[in-house]
Amino acid sequence: MSIFTRGFSGRGRENNPALPPGQYLTEDFPVLSAGPTPNIHLDSWQFTITTETGVVHKWSWDELMALPSEDIHTDIHCVTRWSKLGTTWRGVSLDTLFEGVETDYNYVMEHSYGGYTTNAPYEDLRDGKAWIAHTFEGKPLDPEHGGPARLLVPHLYFWKSAKWITGLTMMKNDDPGFWEQNGYHIYGDPWKEQRYW
Ligand SMILES: Nc1nc2c(c(=O)[nH]1)N[C@H]1C(S)=C(S)[C@@H](COP(=O)(O)O)O[C@H]1N2
Ligand SMILES: [Mo]
């Protein structure tokens, strides 16, 4: 986190190289949810990856927690123009979860408890770019922010980080998810200001 921009966000906006175009810094953590926060029990929680052959890879909460978790130190950028720099998360890399998955499809639909969906290219969820995050700033992820676990895809606008994640489905085409059907950009690169289309 840059000391220069703290309490000086008016100028930080132009000068902070960590801030994508059109974004401003926030120190708090706004909640943006299209619906109510679902009540999710860990003993029935599950995460699945479904491929084109109908194979369903499935993890319970205990199975997820038995996998190696990593610390993630990253900036996050919401399409509504707030950015939060230097956030700290802990989560399981999607590389770990995709290890045994065989697919020829290049796109993924993220599915959440509550019905939210968002799409992403498969390559954007691999090679250390995406996690199932269960911890934020050293504490279990707050339900309002997607707890018990959300997807974290910080190089794209934050709507691509599905809260209350429950599954990924491989797709042949880049079909639009919830916000993408409602005018948000199909990809959402904050550095190219791919907000709406
Ligand atoms: N399941 C679900 N995930 C979601 C959303 C949502 O409404 N439902 N909102 C998205 C949007 S638009 C943003 S900006 C971020 C907000 O995350 P936050 O509430 O933790 O700040 O979550 C994204 N993931
Ligand atoms: Mo958002």
Side-chain angles (χ1 to χ4, degrees), residues 32 78-79 159:
L32 278 111
C78 176
V79 72
W159 89 77

Side-chain angles (χ1 to χ4, degrees), residues 32 78-80 82 158-159 179 184:
L32 278 111
C78 176
V79 72
T80 62
W82 58 265
F158 211 34
W159 89 77
W179 282 120
Y184 282 26

Side-chain angles (χ1 to χ4, degrees), residues 1-9 25 27:
M1 181 161 316
S2 159
I3 290 165
F4 177 77
T5 53
R6 283 204 136 192
F8 206 53
S9 45
L25 288 173
E27 293 294 329

Side-chain angles (χ1 to χ4, degrees), residues 71-139:
D71 290 316
I72 308 124
H73 197 67
T74 190
D75 305 336
I76 53 180
H77 310 291
C78 176
V79 72
T80 62
R81 297 186 181 272
W82 58 265
S83 288
K84 199 168 165 54
L85 303 185
T87 58
T88 303
W89 307 73
R90 230 177 131 64
V92 177
S93 172
L94 283 194
D95 292 326
T96 304
L97 294 156
F98 273 120
E99 248 166 43
V101 175
E102 280 180 34
T103 179
D104 290 324
Y105 282 1
N106 292 323
Y107 300 97
V108 179
M109 188 68 84
E110 309 170 18
H111 298 269
S112 298
Y113 287 97
Y116 182 87
T117 54
T118 185
N119 58 293
Y122 185 24
E123 62 179 18
D124 284 82
L125 304 184
R126 292 188 329 228
D127 300 324
K129 294 196 284 286
W131 298 264
I132 294 193
H134 50 71
T135 302
F136 179 74
E137 308 291 353
K139 297 194 195 95

